Amino acid sequence: MSLFTSNNPALKEEAFTQAAVPQALDGPAMTLNGTIGKSALLLGIVLVFAVFAWDLFGMVGVPLPFLISIPLVGVGLAFLITFKKQWAAYIAPLYCALQGLFLGGVSGLLETKFPGIANQAMLLTFTVFGGMLLLYSTRVIRATERFKSIILTATFGIFCYYMISFVLQFFGVEMALIHSSGVAGIIFSVFVVIIAAMNLILDFDTIEQGVAYGAPKNMEWYAAFGLTVTLIWLYIEILRLLSKLNSRS
């Protein structure tokens, strides 16, 4: 069973902007600096647990059933945060810790097969992040309603495709596009990486709109969670793409 079967695309929704309504504040409002700080904290948790898992699994081996179950738990936590945004401050760190264990285990496994792949994937992830932030801040790419609709539809389609693949693997059926290192499989992975990168635009827009409309302070955790989920997804997809390219050489 593939360790990449079930990924966790960021769960975007309009309910965030519905919560971000102008208000005569009884308490503090969401700020850009606050969201950046919480995003950095969540990414730090991912990194710490990824390094821990890398070292631990390197010594004792990777318990595959445990590793495969983590993305499913992550999906559950992501849906819970989507419907209970006020819990994001408590659930998001747990989500990031679990995903750190997953990323450390998967990265360690692929590193033994393709030395240097983890560093390459991390560098590319943050390069894409920086590039998308530049494109968004300069308004080269705008988060229009049509753009949001296209990206959300594509993201949901990818999510469903992965879920179907996961279920079918229990019956011995594999979805070729996900696992194949052929031309079609690589094109599919490139497409998914592009969609994951485009989701960053939605995250940036979510944060900007939340700050502009004076969303409640606790929405900083929700926005930071969405951004972190997207970066994790992007890293996984880049790692998958690199593994396919390396397997052809």
Side-chain angles (χ1 to χ4, degrees):
M1 182 176 292
S2 170
L3 294 175
F4 288 123
T5 297
S6 174
N7 290 329
N8 188 17
L11 302 173
K12 308 294 192 304
E13 58 167 351
E14 293 181 358
F16 180 91
T17 53
Q18 292 172 0
V21 295
Q23 51 180 303
L25 291 174
D26 295 325
M30 175 181 176
T31 65
L32 179 60
N33 287 339
T35 306
I36 292 173
K38 290 174 176 60
S39 299
L41 176 60
L42 293 180
L43 288 173
I45 293 173
V46 173
L47 181 60
V48 168
F49 278 84
V51 171
F52 170 77
W54 182 297
D55 293 338
L56 178 63
F57 296 153
M59 293 185 294
V60 303
V62 180
L64 292 181
F66 169 74
L67 202 58
I68 292 170
S69 68
I70 290 179
L72 295 180
V73 176
V75 170
L77 291 176
F79 273 111
L80 182 58
I81 289 179
T82 299
F83 294 106
K84 294 291 185 179
K85 300 173 189 60
Q86 65 272 23
W87 294 358
Y90 311 103
I91 300 176
L94 174 60
Y95 172 90
C96 290
L98 290 173
Q99 293 301 314
L101 294 176
F102 176 75
L103 295 184
V106 170
S107 299
L109 282 176
L110 289 177
E111 187 71 18
T112 59
K113 189 175 182 181
F114 308 115
I117 191 173
N119 287 335
Q120 293 170 10
M122 183 176 296
L123 177 61
L124 286 171
T125 298
F126 285 103
T127 299
V128 171
F129 172 80
M132 299 309 295
L133 181 58
L134 177 62
L135 291 174
Y136 178 80
S137 62
T138 56
R139 297 300 189 256
V140 173
I141 298 181
R142 298 176 182 271
T144 64
E145 291 305 314
R146 182 177 182 182
F147 177 87
K148 293 177 184 178
S149 177
I150 292 172
I151 300 305
L152 288 173
T153 301
T155 301
F156 182 71
I158 292 168
F159 175 76
C160 291
Y161 189 80
Y162 281 144
M163 290 295 100
I164 293 172
S165 173
F166 180 79
V167 173
L168 289 180
Q169 282 195 349
F170 286 104
F171 301 95
V173 179
E174 287 196 354
M175 307 287 274
L177 290 179
I178 295 178
H179 310 294
S180 171
S181 59
V183 175
I186 290 175
I187 291 175
F188 175 78
S189 286
V190 170
F191 170 74
V192 176
V193 167
I194 292 173
I195 296 301
M198 292 297 108
N199 269 268
L200 289 171
I201 299 296
L202 303 189
D203 290 316
F204 300 149
D205 182 68
T206 291
I207 294 170
E208 185 176 47
Q209 293 301 318
V211 172
Y213 282 95
K217 188 72 172 178
N218 59 16
M219 294 301 287
E220 291 177 353
W221 284 105
Y222 181 75
F225 168 76
L227 180 60
T228 304
V229 170
T230 303
L231 285 172
I232 291 172
W233 180 33
L234 179 61
Y235 172 82
I236 290 173
E237 295 302 339
I238 289 176
L239 194 65
R240 187 203 308 275
L241 176 59
L242 290 176
S243 69
K244 289 182 178 181
L245 292 173
N246 277 277
S247 67
R248 292 172 60 87
S249 59

